[in-house]
Amino acid sequence: MKIAIIGSGNVGSALGKGWLNAGHEVVFGVRDPQSPKTQKVLALIPEAKLNTVADASINAVVIVITTPPEAVLDLIPQLGNVSNKVIIDTTNSIRTKPAPYATAYDAIKEISKAQDLVKCFNSTGFENMLNPNYHGEGIDMFAAGNSKKAKQVAGQLAKDIGFATCYDFGGDDKVELLEKFALSWINMAIMQRHGRNLAFKLVRR
Ligand SMILES: NC(=O)c1ccc[n+]([C@@H]2O[C@H](COP(=O)([O-])OP(=O)(O)OC[C@H]3O[C@@H](n4cnc5c(N)ncnc54)[C@H](OP(=O)(O)O)[C@@H]3O)[C@@H](O)[C@H]2O)c1
């Protein structure tokens, strides 16, 4: 699959490394090839392909947003025509948000008119995206949004990098709840000081 990852920081580089290893075609859309975060992706993935946001997006089937949430206001016009593309929004509007929108998801949906948009890869730390394996088992991922197609694509991409299951977390009305779920991980890992090597897994009986 042709994937454009917008942003090359913690999340972008972790997902990019996994998808490249899984055989996907990945291009990073960056604003400054010399920035420390661009250099970080090159340290992790020496063969990483870098381009402008517009050129990375133009041939992509899937566009993955891994920037601060407020950056989407800048980015949306650079993504071009997204009517046939799946957009995966990994952002969490916890410290900042793309005002007047509550989330980047809402901003993308309204401004770009994207049909196949999904919130995913936001609910755990980037270390867990680099390595979702705990004691021989994959942890779980969660996806929210109204597009079945986007959820199916995100779910496959989650499995491709080692997540066990990507659960359907609900529709557009559950996007903010999925960001709160991410905040729950941040609370446990950082505020309650349990450390970032922890993850959520759904168990059943
Ligand atoms: N860190 C985590 O564990 C984690 C987990 C789940 C979700 N998230 C969410 O994922 C997003 C990214 O987090 P991160 O930790 O990967 O951040 P990060 O390491 O700071 O990387 C952010 C990336 O966004 C780029 N960027 C910023 N503004 C931009 C703009 N206007 N146009 C194009 N690119 C822009 C930065 O590029 P420059 O180098 O040019 O600044 C950088 O490559 C955030 O929304 C966060 O809430 C983070």
Side-chain angles (χ1 to χ4, degrees), residues 5 27-33 49-58:
I5 299 181
V27 180
F28 290 89
V30 299
R31 56 180 174 175
D32 174 10
K49 287 188 187 150
L50 307 175
N51 216 326
T52 61
V53 171
D55 285 343
S57 306
I58 200 160

Side-chain angles (χ1 to χ4, degrees), residues 8-11 31 35 37 66-67 90-92 124 126 196:
S8 58
N10 297 314
V11 173
R31 56 180 174 175
S35 89
K37 283 166 195 166
T66 71
T67 64
T90 72
T91 71
N92 288 311
T124 197
F126 71 90
R196 296 180 65 99

Side-chain angles (χ1 to χ4, degrees), residues 154-202:
Q156 185 57 53
L157 289 174
K159 287 184 185 167
D160 288 349
I161 58 173
F163 286 91
T165 305
C166 183
Y167 284 98
D168 186 343
F169 203 78
D172 283 359
D173 61 326
K174 295 294 185 289
V175 164
E176 285 193 54
L177 186 61
L178 190 50
E179 293 201 3
K180 295 267 169 26
F181 191 46
L183 186 53
S184 304
W185 183 89
I186 293 166
N187 174 52
M188 290 293 285
I190 300 165
M191 298 168 199
Q192 306 309 318
R193 301 183 184 184
H194 292 291
R196 296 180 65 99
N197 281 309
L198 63 84
F200 296 132
K201 184 160 180 69
L202 216 149

Side-chain angles (χ1 to χ4, degrees), residues 85-148:
K85 299 182 195 286
V86 167
I87 303 186
I88 302 178
D89 168 25
T90 72
T91 71
N92 288 311
S93 292
I94 287 169
R95 273 177 298 183
T96 56
K97 63 178 187 169
Y101 301 97
T103 66
Y105 186 97
D106 294 332
I108 297 166
K109 182 129 193 166
E110 182 157 324
I111 302 169
S112 78
K113 309 287 182 220
Q115 291 299 308
D116 293 314
L117 172 63
V118 62
K119 171 78 64 183
C120 193
F121 301 105
N122 70 306
S123 57
T124 197
F126 71 90
E127 300 89 340
N128 287 331
M129 301 182 209
L130 259 179
N131 178 12
N133 192 296
Y134 279 68
H135 311 297
E137 256 191 274
I139 55 169
D140 292 326
M141 184 42 70
F142 303 87
N146 283 354
S147 166
K148 280 190 180 149

